[in-house]
Amino acid sequence: MTDREPQALDVLDDAGRKVLFTEARTANTFAEVAVADDELAMIWELARWSPSAANGQPLRVLFVRTREGKERLVRHLDEGNRAKTLSAPAVAILAYDVDFHEQMPTVFPARGDMLRAAFADQIDGRESLAAYNSALQTGVFLLAVRAAGLAAGPMAGFDKAGVDGEFFAATSWRSHLVVNIGHPGADPWFPRLPRVPVEDAVAWA
């Protein structure tokens, strides 16, 4: 047996780190510039590679692009989120699928049938797993929006039951975040807020 050289992974350059992390911001206004369906498809093409437990991939996305669709959505948003959502070129309703286990034979072929059967009667367990893993995938989704050259405005201030009834009735999808998507408009950023001090957030063992 011979030692193998470790695989060298690429390091994101400074420009990439700025786009995705250090200079990225949450947008609160959006320019009147359309976001094409191809751009939204690119976001999902990147986001779908996110890790998730047992590769379950519970995150689901509804892209809302029409005025009629946005008007259906904003009636369920907190008052402070309505105007900016109507002005955003596109909006993503992020949801999780509580029946994600039905896809296990496809996404985890080696043990998919076993996992699907094991989760079949665990409704509460599936909900918990789907919520946690879709949150993990959501972080990657927001990075994907930035990687596509667009700004994201995530919002949790909405009536989830209302959104589910409006858009996901008779499905197994459950909404958990609304994300406005577009190019930044006039005065789009709130002042940059401080980060938690490193010494309070990082430990070493």
Side-chain angles (χ1 to χ4, degrees):
M1 179 179 297
T2 59
D3 291 335
R4 299 180 61 185
E5 288 291 327
Q7 181 180 358
L9 300 177
D10 293 334
V11 177
L12 193 65
D13 64 17
D14 187 57
R17 291 194 293 270
K18 288 179 179 179
V19 167
L20 297 183
F21 300 104
T22 59
E23 293 188 4
R25 308 291 298 279
T26 293
N28 293 285
T29 67
F30 295 91
E32 295 183 6
V33 178
V35 173
D37 286 355
D38 286 349
E39 293 178 284
L40 299 177
M42 180 196 308
I43 292 168
W44 180 248
E45 180 57 35
L46 295 173
R48 72 191 188 99
W49 300 103
S50 168
S52 57
N55 202 35
Q57 304 171 51
L59 183 67
R60 304 291 183 261
V61 182
L62 172 63
F63 287 115
V64 181
R65 300 115 61 238
T66 66
R67 180 74 183 188
E68 183 270 337
K70 292 175 198 172
E71 288 175 349
R72 290 173 58 199
L73 173 60
V74 297
R75 69 185 66 156
H76 304 290
L77 301 185
D78 290 356
E79 181 66 35
N81 291 331
R82 294 177 183 176
K84 58 186 175 183
T85 297
L86 285 173
S87 71
V91 186
I93 303 175
L94 303 189
Y96 57 83
D97 187 353
V98 294
D99 288 345
F100 70 91
H101 67 299
E102 297 292 351
Q103 295 285 345
M104 294 310 298
T106 298
V107 300
F108 202 146
R111 292 192 290 166
D113 290 331
M114 180 271 289
L115 288 167
R116 180 171 61 183
F119 280 124
D121 296 323
Q122 297 183 28
I123 298 176
D124 290 341
R126 291 203 315 269
E127 177 107 20
S128 177
L129 273 173
Y132 178 85
N133 282 284
S134 67
L136 175 64
Q137 291 183 275
T138 292
V140 177
F141 181 92
L142 296 177
L143 293 178
V145 173
R146 296 169 177 177
L150 298 165
M155 304 175 298
F158 64 96
D159 176 6
K160 294 182 180 179
V163 169
D164 291 349
E166 187 75 42
F167 293 97
F168 304 138
T171 78
S172 54
W173 293 18
R174 305 290 182 267
S175 59
H176 79 102
L177 195 70
V178 173
V179 183
N180 293 329
I181 299 172
H183 295 277
D187 193 21
W189 322 120
F190 291 151
R192 173 69 99 179
L193 295 173
R195 305 293 99 177
V196 174
V198 173
E199 58 271 22
D200 293 334
V202 178
W204 303 86

